[in-house]
Structures are given as structure tokens and as C-alpha cells.
Amino acid sequence: MIFDSVLTARQQKAFLKAVKPILSNLGVPYRVLFHPVKQDLNGQIADYFSWATFRSLERNDCEAAKQLNNAVTWDYSNLFNEKREICWVRPK
């Protein structure tokens, strides 16, 4: 799992303390990496999808999510419950 390194060292420790027990219970090998998202295209894409979903859920502003849904087939399944690795389908 890759997260933005914008978190301070203290915030990273708090995050890991909360998340590691949950990930360990899944019984799936994992690694957590803090990496600058601004240098990673995949991180930027994931951030934009998360932002669009947040806006649609919190503010009922679905325009960005609609645009993304027109561009790709998005899978809203629960990655952790289903232990899947593929979250989206590459556009044709």
C-alpha cells in the first residue's frame, strides 16, 4: 500500500498503529510505503478518483465522478474484504 508522504513522521506512526492490526488480520502479505504522490502517476490517479468520490458523497457534487465513469469502468467493490488486486479496467 502506498500513501502520500505528506504526513509527518508522527502522523505516519499513528496511521501505521491503526492500520497494521487490521491488515494483519486479513492474512495477506502487505507492505506500507510512504511516497510523494506528486512524483507517482498512479498515486495521482488514485487521489483524483478518491477526491471525485468524496465530492459526490459529501457534497452531492457528482460531476467529476460522472466524467471519470465515462472514461473508465470503475469497480466499487471492497478490495480488502474480497482480497482482490484489480480495482479498475484499463480504457479501450
Side-chain angles (χ1 to χ4, degrees), residues 23-76:
L23 294 174
S24 295
N25 286 337
L26 294 175
V28 176
Y30 70 90
R31 290 186 346 177
V32 178
L33 173 69
F34 293 97
H35 183 74
V37 172
K38 64 183 177 185
Q39 297 176 359
D40 179 26
L41 182 59
N42 292 317
Q44 291 177 6
I45 292 167
D47 192 39
Y48 191 77
F49 271 89
S50 298
W51 170 81
T53 301
F54 172 81
R55 285 194 62 106
S56 67
L57 294 174
E58 287 286 319
R59 300 180 184 178
N60 203 26
D61 177 1
C62 300
E63 190 57 36
K66 283 182 196 175
Q67 293 297 322
L68 289 172
N69 286 334
N70 290 336
V72 297
T73 303
W74 185 249
D75 182 352
Y76 286 96

